[in-house]
Amino acid sequence: MAKEKEHINVAIIGHVDHGKSTLIGRLLYEAGQIPPHIIEQYRKEAEQKGKATFEFAWVMDRLKEERERGVTIDVAHRKIETNKYIVTIIDCPGHRDFIKNMITGTSQADAAILVVDVAECVQPQTKEHVFLARTLGINQIIVAMNKMDRVNYDQKKFEECKEKVAKLLKLVGYKIEEVPFIPVSAYYGDNVYKRSDKMPWYNGPTIFEAFDMLKPPVKLIDKPLRIPIQDVYSIKGVGTVPVGRVESGVLRVGDKVIFEPPGVVGEVKSIEMHHEPLQEAKPGDNIGFNVRGVSKKDIRRGDVTGHLDNPPTVAKDFTAQIIVLQHPTAITVGYTPVVHAHTAQVACRFVELQKKIDPRTGAVKEENPQFLKTGDAAIVKLEPTRPMVIERVKDIPPLGRFAVRDMGMTIAAGMVIDVTP
Ligand code: GDP
């Protein structure tokens, strides 16, 4: 039997209207990921509405509707098979959803496609998403220089914008020589799946080919078990069933587990995924598992399951590198916004502003700054106002990243460098 292909999660990021959903639609459509019966259904819908006359437009129509309703249906599997990988596309519809998807979301991004409209080039959200991607530890990036059709597939326009994007990527620390810049038209399909004959000056990869140039994701399977809890059910005749995604390690039937912060201990009686029983669950699996010895009231969303002999870390305080994305005034010691990490949301107090740093090199710009403003990168110490599990990003990446939210905005993104248990 052929070896199963490795999975890789790729987030689509970029400024609003630069063509993210069109690119996703084009990829899925041309990679043959939309089954004929679904296309037929779209055709009928379009006909009834008296809209759109060609196939790709039906697909886009439906994708748009999905986004507007904030749901994911039919096309939502968003998986593309390349020579090397099964690529799952992580869509981040609203700007705000981006943070949520990246941090608490269903998938952890291993790489990102940055979509840039060549005519508009770098815009505020382009910058913000790039900063965020970097801070969250997404080390690989593919740049889709989109809407080439609107600049007549002109190489000069491409180069001009490429320079600006390259400067931005370099500034936050991406190794620019490893980043493919691909001139595409998502709308017409140039260099997305098929090579375009409209840009003879370009001989690099298509978006589809660039997926195979990505390095395989870090293996989380060999790390300690961590399952952030999304929900807890009490099922008649079964018992307590916490639900969550395995972020690292392996959970097996019969394992002795602990839920932190409450410190409750139980034994795994069964594991289920998509209504199928499993003997073991691996990173990426969204599971429900029945535990003996734990009652529904003992645990809740935001708690983390680990093995009894290697429990999740409950932080008294933690040191983190953050980037301030937007703050109307300034962050000072004592400020207590909400930290969103894995499935937990806990108010945390800034207890020390240790250093202001250069986000690119990490070089110290100022020791013990009095305040931090939009655009600043810093090393800070935070103290949760109630017990919370958080890990060093280098130990367990998905549990070491967080967003800081306040006033309905994402104030900062960060990663944990050190934890005081
Ligand atoms: P998103 O907000 O980044 O997801 O952007 P959309 O995919 O919704 O695209 C915004 C608008 O740009 C839509 O009207 C698209 O039809 C249009 N668009 C997207 N890609 C292209 C392209 O390659 N060429 C042209 N001419 N228009 C495009």
Side-chain angles (χ1 to χ4, degrees), residues 377-411:
I379 310 288
V380 298
K381 190 182 264 188
L382 288 153
E383 202 176 81
T385 57
R386 63 176 169 84
M388 98 181 275
V389 167
I390 202 153
E391 308 275 357
R392 291 193 301 188
V393 77
K394 70 171 184 192
D395 297 335
I396 305 172
L399 272 82
R401 299 185 182 120
F402 61 91
V404 177
R405 288 188 54 90
D406 189 21
M407 303 171 277
M409 297 186 287
T410 300
I411 300 294

Side-chain angles (χ1 to χ4, degrees), residues 114-184:
L114 172 65
V115 181
V116 183
D117 175 334
V118 274
E120 292 195 356
C121 208
V122 174
Q123 293 295 315
Q125 285 166 19
T126 318
K127 288 189 194 162
E128 187 176 338
H129 287 187
V130 166
F131 268 118
L132 209 50
R134 183 68 189 167
T135 308
L136 294 171
I138 300 176
N139 295 323
Q140 307 191 76
I141 208 156
I142 297 168
V143 184
M145 305 283 282
N146 193 31
K147 307 199 189 183
M148 282 304 297
D149 59 289
R150 288 182 58 193
V151 297
N152 296 316
Y153 301 99
D154 181 44
Q155 182 176 13
K156 199 161 147 267
K157 288 272 173 14
F158 168 80
E159 295 293 345
E160 271 167 22
C161 177
K162 177 183 166 180
E163 210 171 289
K164 290 184 189 137
V165 179
K167 202 169 140 203
L168 170 69
L169 292 177
K170 234 182 184 159
L171 183 73
V172 302
Y174 283 101
K175 291 196 192 97
I176 213 69
E177 59 284 358
E178 290 173 8
V179 178
F181 287 80
I182 310 175
V184 307

Side-chain angles (χ1 to χ4, degrees), residues 17 20 29 36 39 73 114 144 213 220 237 248 255 276 294 297 318 340 348 351 385 388 404:
D17 280 346
K20 296 180 293 296
Y29 175 67
I39 295 200
I73 41 176
L114 172 65
M213 294 160 61
L220 290 164
S248 58
D255 282 356
E276 297 284 339
V294 176
K297 64 174 175 23
F318 58 95
H340 293 234
C348 294
V351 289
T385 57
M388 98 181 275
V404 177

Side-chain angles (χ1 to χ4, degrees), residues 12 20 29 40 102 105 113 143 147 152 211 214 218 237 260 290 295 322 326 336 352 384 418:
I12 303 241
K20 296 180 293 296
Y29 175 67
E40 181 54 21
M102 300 275 274
I113 301 183
V143 184
K147 307 199 189 183
N152 296 316
F211 286 142
L214 295 169
V218 184
E260 294 286 12
N290 171 225
S295 126
I322 64 163
Q326 48 181 345
T336 311
E352 283 174 22
D418 217 349

